[in-house]
Amino acid sequence: MVAFKELVFSGVQPTGNLHLGNYLGAIKRFVEMQARPAQCLYCVVDLHAITLWQDPEALRGQIREVTAAFLAAGIDPRTSIVFNQSQVPQHAELAWIFNCVARLGWLNRMTQFKDKAGKDRENASVGLYDYPVLMAADILAYRATHVPVGEDQKQHLELTRDIAQKFNTDFGSSIAAHGHGEAFFPVTEPLIGGPAARVMSLRDGSKKMSKSDASDNSRINLTDDADLIAQKVRKAKTDPDALPSETEGLKGRPEADNLVGIFAALSETTREAVLAEYGGAQFSAFKGALVDLAVEKLAPINAEMKRLTADPGHIDAVLADGAARAEAIAAPTLDAVKDIVGFVRRGPRLAAV
Ligand code: TRP
């Protein structure tokens, strides 16, 4: 096995309303990854966003808003690299090469495409179908070893691993001939987990919390202020029983399980620890504690996002700086890939006559 330097990559789509699920399942974990001795790259994946039509003005605002959320949550743009995908051309370029590595049969198995395309598959964009290949390119343009993602991205990470392995075997002798040993791409590890890997709707514990749910009460948006957060937690669906004292007792109680999971993630502990404290309590009491906790953790992020989005010039400067640093890593990867695949790369220009 070849040892690759640890590098962390992840992405968030700028497609509107960031909510508690995006925060606990992704952004909060990105912040925690910064404690590792690895370069972290956090990307606003605008190329992915347009696989479904986006209003151009709204898209621009959403790219800045996701960036603001990253910064407000505690991602440090000096040590981590914060950027938007479309500013680094290597993502799209590598995606094309991976289009020629990935197989139709692999993409046909992707459940997210089936969900998003719905019944009218013929009318889905080609980009929506190809989405997972671009995602593999995002990750492998940096030869990232670790990718923190939510549970729903597991299948896309498996595809990324398949593409890396197929590239490594298809081009094995060329990889060796160009001095890269036996493998050019790492087999990336997904980092999925924590108490809130899947945050569910506050109105229906069997559905994921989603920006597209018709009911705004089903989710806590990162732009909600303290009053709205309190109101939504108090209205959250529950069952009539008291909280159990062990996680076993959460089985078959999806709403209770979800609220306990959210509490655990926000307070950086486990479901077990939360139930050790609140087992036997009625939901009214538990919700009171959850309101206090959610407001304590989310209100400062909300305030900082407001402050940051008021100054788009600063956000754009962070993105430009991040893009330059990202490209400095991705460009040499693409040069090497072109050599491995057998392309003739641009040499010195002809002297002027
Ligand atoms: N598909 C991811 C999501 O919807 C976003 C994403 C795009 C991503 N490229 C990525 C996540 C690369 C991790 C790594 O959540």
Side-chain angles (χ1 to χ4, degrees):
M1 272 300 279
V2 198
F4 287 89
K5 200 161 106 209
E6 184 174 304
L7 187 144
V8 175
F9 183 98
S10 198
V12 171
Q13 285 202 65
T15 45
N17 278 358
L18 284 174
H19 54 66
L20 189 64
N22 304 116
Y23 176 64
L24 294 178
I27 302 173
K28 185 170 188 294
R29 305 190 51 232
F30 300 174
V31 175
E32 291 160 5
M33 299 296 293
Q34 295 181 119
R36 295 167 87 121
Q39 176 68 64
C40 298
L41 291 102
Y42 297 123
C43 185
V44 184
V45 290
D46 47 12
L47 298 175
H48 278 109
I50 63 163
T51 56
L52 301 172
W53 190 83
Q54 303 294 321
D55 175 75
E57 264 324 300
L59 178 60
R60 223 182 317 278
Q62 285 155 12
I63 293 167
R64 293 190 179 119
E65 188 168 291
V66 174
T67 310
F70 282 178
L71 304 180
I75 292 175
D76 180 349
R78 288 163 306 180
T79 51
S80 294
I81 297 178
V82 174
F83 69 109
N84 60 314
Q85 196 183 23
S86 63
Q87 287 198 44
V88 180
Q90 285 78 13
H91 292 243
E93 214 180 346
L94 185 57
W96 178 259
I97 294 170
F98 284 170
N99 276 335
C100 304
V101 175
R103 306 288 97 182
L104 277 180
W106 300 358
L107 289 184
N108 285 339
R109 285 196 286 274
M110 296 293 119
T111 58
Q112 184 172 297
F113 174 76
K114 290 179 197 161
D115 293 345
K116 288 200 178 179
K119 286 196 186 71
D120 196 6
R121 215 183 118 117
E122 294 289 306
N123 199 35
S125 73
V126 176
L128 188 67
Y129 185 71
D130 203 32
Y131 182 115
V133 175
L134 178 60
M135 182 163 161
D138 296 339
I139 295 165
L140 295 174
Y142 305 93
R143 300 204 273 173
T145 54
H146 294 83
V147 176
V149 275
E151 181 79 38
D152 61 327
Q153 295 300 310
K154 200 172 168 191
Q155 198 184 30
H156 290 162
L157 259 295
E158 277 158 19
L159 186 94
T160 300
R161 294 159 66 96
D162 289 343
I163 290 175
Q165 274 166 327
K166 182 156 164 62
F167 184 94
N168 287 341
T169 44
D170 284 0
F171 296 102
S173 48
S174 185
I175 288 168
H178 284 91
H180 301 292
E182 56 191 277
F184 183 71
F185 287 119
V187 178
T188 305
E189 288 294 330
L191 300 171
I192 298 169
R198 250 169 98 75
V199 176
M200 311 308 281
S201 158
L202 299 180
R203 309 296 306 163
D204 177 350
S206 67
K207 284 202 315 208
K208 247 185 66 175
M209 185 175 285
S210 157
K211 64 172 190 300
S212 46
D213 194 311
S215 163
D216 196 56
N217 282 329
S218 70
R219 61 186 162 260
I220 293 173
N221 302 305
L222 289 190
T223 49
D224 290 348
D225 61 17
D227 287 344
L228 206 48
I229 294 172
Q231 189 186 313
K232 287 176 177 178
V233 171
R234 291 213 181 85
K235 278 197 183 146
K237 184 176 169 198
T238 51
D239 56 44
D241 297 336
L243 281 172
S245 33
E246 284 173 29
T247 51
E248 214 24 51
L250 291 172
K251 289 224 171 85
R253 299 178 65 187
E255 285 83 15
D257 183 57
N258 189 38
L259 293 183
V260 171
I262 290 172
F263 195 105
L266 283 172
S267 56
E268 298 180 357
T269 150
T270 57
R271 279 182 171 72
E272 284 77 5
V274 173
L275 292 180
E277 193 175 344
Y278 290 96
Q282 295 299 322
F283 272 107
S284 51
F286 180 66
K287 279 181 171 178
L290 183 54
V291 166
D292 291 346
L293 175 65
V295 168
E296 176 200 323
K297 300 289 179 179
L298 301 177
I301 297 177
N302 173 282
E304 181 64 0
M305 275 177 74
K306 280 211 182 93
R307 195 184 70 80
L308 288 164
T309 45
D311 183 2
H314 171 70
I315 292 189
D316 292 3
V318 166
L319 290 173
D321 175 69
R325 285 153 61 213
E327 188 164 2
I329 305 174
T333 313
L334 260 289
D335 285 349
V337 166
K338 288 176 185 175
D339 289 340
I340 290 165
V341 168
F343 295 159
V344 176
R345 277 207 276 139
R346 187 196 286 171
R349 289 160 195 255
L350 293 178
V353 278

